[in-house]
């Protein structure tokens, strides 16, 4: 007897384009003998199935439970319909049905199947751009939605007959893989070496291998921009790279051949290995156990490692004698990463030994993402390639809001329906080229995601370039206090829409009293905040210059506590700063309150202690002093200094006890541990008081200071017994997350709430 046909219209939303979702749906429909169609739309994936009701139910269950690895479904809606008697199941052309948008896939590291194909498929033998529906470039090549080849930078490359057959063959892994290509029809590499252009791949690999072995530096075009590469075991080459890149002390990222190589150099938990090996392929900060070249990470106990993510990287290591290469962003100083071939030749042609390009355009610049693990949870420091443009889901409408973020570690955000689309890492807006990149990216995001802002939100600081940009848009404007935005960003990530205890520690942020905040304890929700307490105010000698020269903060703390008698202390710090010709002027400036704004910033406290302990006097890169102080902690130490209470929280006794330990020649790693432990006690004590007052046990820990793994883990572990503790995982705790918080606050205040 013929079973009665049923039909369902199914709408799937989430990250479902560019990840092999339509072929997956097709094969699933065939498995359950269903008829109908599947299509990409600008809202997601639309499916029509008809057939046996039980098979349809199983089809939907498997859609939900076993989607492609790089996909992410957040809703599957379906409704019963009247069957239309389709004769088969097909993949239809993409449709634009409204102004809504679907998610755009981040770039995905080359998969194992493609690596095997690279050694077995005759038309792709050692082809360095091999990809399939499960891997390859996505965000960096997309120009428009829906995600089809003509909307990407693969448009100029017409598929050969073989690739076309694969593209159209439902049983093939490259079925509707938009960047599909082979040696006959796809992009190619070009090595520019000593005025000669080399196009033969075998010769390219041989030549760059010789250059790397000889200590050379090569500019290499990656997925989201150029890298600068040299042998990570060659100290001379690494030092040369520092000169070329104009980068004094900031650690370099290292690409290693495989997990076994990584395990040779670093301590690595299963969770850390899984993160580094994931399809996102971030740089992962790991505890170093065996050194590479010393100049890679001077003064640090951790190193940033990543695994190959492009087919070319695997071919490269097959030819190299070394298993580890420095692979740092291809830029100079704080400028954006270079993406254009001609610009790369202009910028790097005279300062590197060779420039390796390819002829596919990078449309969307995307630096490597950076992460670490704390308590076996991923913590993003720089969110870019492999993560962007995955949205953050809100339970309320955010349509039409543009949040322009802060100034350092900049990202912006767009509100689209109930989604927040956070941009890739932009950088420091004070650099003119970076600001131009910001403006370009805002325009591209608006076009790609079909969003015209009707409201704009920014920081309170009037001198931030992002604030000036927001005001020049002449749209309804909301300004949000910096640390409230930090807390709101974490709340948005974890879908918290209620009052919380917020601990926000960072380096700077304008407060509502006109002072510089950064050691804050808030009682906050998405509408407002109450400042419960903060670290005591301290003069900031030279204002922004103090962030570059931590010794100034050391002077400020000691001068406040001891007056000019601090100069009589018999510790190395005093011996060092007595040589500073500007010392007397700084003390006079503090006395006269000249260019010495008050700050409560925890970041500046770390600077002071790092300087006083003779660990770091000058920051050659952002947060160098706190990072070095963390890197030397003796983790066996459980003692702490005296934890003073009050509003504000006084640090005088702690600083005095640190000085006493220095005079008694206590080891600096012990002092560092005691200092960190004291801060954990301060947080614990203050949070418990806030619980009694506000009757809540939800705690948010955020701000750049909580990128300190020791501080974060120990604080969470201490609070976890009595509190629900939240700290950013998929969104940076630093200023790169500010825009998300700004947008969440703005959406709430604009009364756009919709039931979840």
């Amino acid at each position: 007897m013929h079973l009665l046909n049923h039909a369902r219209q199914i709408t799937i939303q989430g990250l479902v384009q560019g990840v092999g979702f339509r072929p997956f749906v097709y094969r699933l429909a065939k498995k359950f003998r269903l008829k109908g169609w599947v299509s990409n739309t600008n809202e997601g994936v639309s499916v029509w199935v008809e057939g046996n009701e039980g098979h349809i139910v199983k089809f939907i269950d498997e859609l939900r439970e076993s989607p492609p690895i790089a996909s992410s479904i957040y809703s599957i809606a379906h409704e019963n319909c009247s069957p239309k008697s389709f004769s088969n199941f097909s993949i239809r052309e993409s449709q634009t049905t409204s102004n809504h948008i679907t998610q755009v896939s981040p770039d995905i590291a080359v998969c194992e199947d493609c690596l095997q194909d690279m050694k077995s498929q005759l038309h792709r033998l050692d082809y360095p751009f091999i990809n399939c529906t499960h891997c390859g470039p996505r965000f960096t090549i997309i120009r428009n939605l829906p995600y089809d080849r003509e909307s990407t930078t693969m448009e100029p490359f017409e598929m050969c007959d073989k690739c076309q057959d694969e593209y159209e063959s439902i049983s093939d892994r490259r079925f509707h893989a938009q960047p599909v290509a082979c040696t006959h029809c796809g992009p190619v590499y070009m090595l520019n070496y000593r005025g000669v252009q080399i196009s033969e791949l075998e010769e390219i690999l041989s030549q760059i291998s010789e250059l790397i072995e000889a200590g050379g530096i090569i500019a290499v075009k990656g997925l989201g921009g150029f890298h600068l590469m040299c042998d990570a075991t060659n100290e001379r080459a690494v030092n040369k790279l520092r000169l070329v890149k104009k980068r004094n002390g900031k650690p370099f990222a290292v690409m290693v051949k495989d997990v076994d190589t990584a395990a040779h150099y670093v301590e690595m938990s299963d969770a850390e290995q899984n993160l580094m090996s994931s399809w996102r392929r971030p740089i992962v900060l790991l505890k170093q156990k065996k050194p590479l070249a010393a100049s890679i990470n001077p003064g640090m106990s951790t190193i940033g490692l990543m695994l190959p993510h492009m087919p070319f990287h695997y071919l490269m290591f097959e030819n190299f004698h070394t298993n580890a290469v420095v692979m740092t962003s291809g830029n100079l100083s704080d400028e954006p990463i270079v993406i254009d071939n001609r610009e790369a030749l202009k910028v790097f042609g005279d300062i590197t030994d060779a420039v390796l390009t390819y002829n596919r355009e990078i449309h969307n610049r995307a630096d490597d993402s950076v992460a670490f693990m704390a308590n076996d949870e991923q913590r993003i420091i720089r969110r870019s390639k492999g993560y962007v443009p995955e949205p953050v889901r809100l339970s309320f409408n955010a349509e039409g809001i543009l949040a322009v973020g802060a100034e350092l570690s900049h990202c912006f955000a767009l509100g689209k329906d109930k989604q927040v689309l956070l941009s890739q890492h932009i950088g420091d807006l004070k650099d003119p080229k970076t600001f131009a990149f910001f403006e370009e990216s805002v325009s591209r995001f608006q076009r790609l995601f079909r969003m015209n802002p009707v409201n704009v939100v920014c920081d309170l600081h009037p001198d931030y370039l992002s604030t000036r940009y927001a005001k020049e848009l002449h749209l309804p404007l909301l300004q949000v206090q910096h640390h409230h935005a930090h807390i709101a960003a974490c709340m948005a990530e974890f879908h918290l829409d209620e009052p919380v205890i917020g601990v926000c520690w960072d380096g700077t942020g304008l407060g509502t009293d006109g002072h510089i905040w950064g050691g804050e304890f808030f009682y906050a929700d998405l509408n407002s905040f109450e400042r419960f307490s903060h670290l005591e105010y301290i003069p900031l000698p030279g204002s922004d210059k103090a962030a570059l020269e931590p010794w100034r903060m050391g002077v400020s703390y000691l001068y406040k506590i001891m007056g000019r008698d601090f100069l009589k202390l018999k510790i190395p710090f005093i011996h060092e700063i007595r040589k500073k010709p500007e010392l007397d002027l700084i003390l006079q400036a503090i006395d006269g309150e000249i260019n010495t704004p008050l700050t409560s910033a925890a970041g500046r406290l770390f600077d002071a202690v790092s300087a006083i302990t003779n660990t770091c006097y000058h920051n050659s890169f952002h947060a160098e002093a706190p990072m070095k102080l963390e890197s030397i902690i003796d983790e066996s130490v459980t003692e702490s200094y005296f934890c003073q209470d009050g509003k504000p929280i006084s640090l005088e006794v702690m600083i005095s006890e640190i000085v006493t330990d220095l005079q008694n020649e206590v080891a600096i790693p012990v002092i560092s541990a005691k200092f960190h432990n004291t801060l954990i006690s301060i947080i614990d004590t203050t949070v418990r008081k806030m619980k009694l007052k506000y009757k809540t046990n939800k705690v948010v820990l955020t701000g750049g200071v909580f990128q300190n793994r020791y501080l974060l883990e120990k604080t969470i572990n201490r609070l976890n017994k009595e509190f629900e503790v939240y700290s950013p995982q998929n969104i940076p705790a630093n200023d790169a997350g500010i825009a998300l918080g700004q947008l969440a606050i703005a959406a709430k205040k604009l009364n756009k709430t919709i039931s979840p």
Side-chain angles (χ1 to χ4, degrees), residues 4 26 55 107 132 151 197 199 275 284 365 367 388 511 515 546 551 592 632 701-702 732 742 751:
L4 182 65
Y26 181 93
H55 289 176
D107 299 276
C132 69
S151 298
Q197 292 188 328
S199 59
L275 176 59
V284 181
R365 183 186 274 110
D367 225 321
V388 174
H515 298 319
W551 68 270
I632 61 172
L701 305 175
T702 190
Q742 290 175 343
N751 297 313

Side-chain angles (χ1 to χ4, degrees), residues 396-503:
F396 45 87
N397 193 18
E399 181 67 42
I401 302 172
L402 167 63
V404 297
E407 185 135 291
L408 297 175
S409 303
H410 183 270
C411 290
F412 64 87
L414 301 183
K416 186 71 180 177
D417 301 324
K418 294 183 183 180
Q419 301 178 56
V420 179
L421 295 147
L422 198 60
S423 78
Q424 70 272 49
H425 167 74
I426 302 292
D428 180 357
L429 292 188
K430 289 182 179 178
D431 178 85
K433 289 185 178 180
T434 303
F435 189 79
F437 169 35
F438 157 65
E439 292 183 301
E440 173 193 79
S441 298
V442 170
S443 176
R444 288 187 175 183
F445 261 61
Q446 289 178 9
R447 184 172 63 254
L448 179 61
F449 297 112
R450 297 183 173 92
M451 184 274 201
N452 291 312
V454 294
N455 296 92
V456 62
V457 54
C458 65
D459 195 90
L460 283 182
H461 203 302
D463 295 332
Y464 281 178
L465 291 177
S466 55
T467 301
R468 296 178 187 177
Y469 174 88
K471 290 180 177 179
E472 289 171 3
L473 293 177
H474 303 296
L475 293 171
L477 174 70
L478 177 66
Q479 292 186 263
V480 173
Q481 199 281 323
H482 189 92
H483 303 96
H484 187 202
H486 267 303
I487 293 165
C490 185
M491 293 176 68
E493 179 181 348
F494 290 99
H495 308 289
L496 300 175
D497 191 5
E498 60 192 280
V500 300
I501 295 168
V503 184

Side-chain angles (χ1 to χ4, degrees), residues 74-75 393-397 418 495-497 748 752-756:
Y74 60 73
S75 73
R393 292 278 294 166
L394 299 179
S395 59
F396 45 87
N397 193 18
K418 294 183 183 180
H495 308 289
L496 300 175
D497 191 5
K748 195 71 175 177
K752 293 177 180 269
T753 304
I754 297 176
S755 299

